[in-house]
Amino acid sequence: AAELSGITHVGGSTYHAVGDNAAATIWTLSVSIDPATGWIGSAAVTGGIAAPGLGTDSEGIAYRAASGTVFVSDEVASTINEFSLSTGSLVASVGVPAIYAPANVQSNMGLESLAFGVGGLWTANEEALVPDGPLATTTAGSWVRIQRFDESLATAGQWGYRTDPITALNPFISAERSGVVDILPWTESELFVLEREL
């Protein structure tokens, strides 16, 4: 279970995760969290669900309790698919707008984040798409698109979001990365957005 990327809570100490290493598996994790402090006491991969329909670069995962399924975003293919947690089979594909097509994705910075909750299903590209301008630099952030799908998985809105600039260039890597890596719907009109750089 290498290179875990996205993670989603399904209840109690049980979580599911996917990785961006082309493993066709939805991993099961056990994570204990101290309710008083929020600190993680322990975490372990306890199993996996074979999911042959997963792509080569699974990044985001979001649990849909009503159907016992998870949505998984693939950064290379620019897809969002829904999988059964009981069988690992593909049960649905979300109609992702054409603007997110692989030809518009810069440097493997496509659909990274995924959340299901208030307002439906949410995703965003990690950094600017080709038509939306340059990637982030130390002087300017980049424009990404936050995309919402309603409960029936129909497109239901798209918003521009400006990331922060990169704080400093790293001498140990050849390409700087930054951008949106996860989102969490809080209300119908408010999201928590997690950015990172490396």
Side-chain angles (χ1 to χ4, degrees):
E3 296 190 31
L4 297 182
S5 184
I7 187 169
T8 189
H9 184 230
V10 298
S13 61
T14 303
Y15 292 74
H16 287 293
V18 289
D20 57 3
N21 60 346
T25 304
I26 298 169
W27 301 105
T28 303
L29 289 77
S30 177
V31 181
S32 67
I33 298 176
D34 185 318
T37 64
W39 293 359
I40 295 174
S42 65
V45 175
T46 58
I49 302 161
L54 284 177
T56 60
D57 193 2
S58 299
E59 293 287 356
I61 183 170
Y63 178 53
R64 188 183 207 181
S67 55
T69 58
V70 289
F71 296 99
V72 177
S73 61
D74 186 282
E75 192 170 32
V76 169
S78 294
T79 57
I80 301 173
N81 292 314
E82 187 176 9
F83 296 87
S84 166
L85 284 176
S86 60
T87 66
S89 60
L90 175 67
V91 296
S93 294
V94 178
V96 176
I99 190 67
Y100 295 103
N104 285 337
V105 174
Q106 301 191 66
S107 304
N108 193 34
M109 296 187 184
L111 300 178
E112 179 97 9
S113 56
L114 200 60
F116 185 81
V118 180
L121 181 67
W122 298 82
T123 191
N125 46 299
E126 186 175 1
E127 273 224 56
L129 299 172
V130 172
D132 295 334
L135 300 177
T137 66
T138 54
T139 58
S142 71
W143 283 104
V144 302
R145 295 171 184 245
I146 294 175
Q147 177 70 51
R148 182 170 80 89
F149 304 89
D150 64 21
E151 295 277 346
S152 66
L153 305 182
T155 54
Q158 189 178 99
W159 296 266
Y161 174 86
R162 185 74 166 178
T163 68
D164 289 335
I166 297 171
T167 55
L169 296 180
N170 187 327
F172 301 108
I173 58 176
S174 59
E176 295 291 327
R177 295 178 60 86
S178 70
V180 175
V181 292
D182 224 336
I183 53 177
L184 176 69
W186 190 247
T187 70
E188 289 277 354
S189 59
E190 294 177 300
L191 298 172
F192 287 113
V193 177
L194 178 65
E195 296 184 36
R196 68 111 187 263
E197 65 177 82
L198 62 91

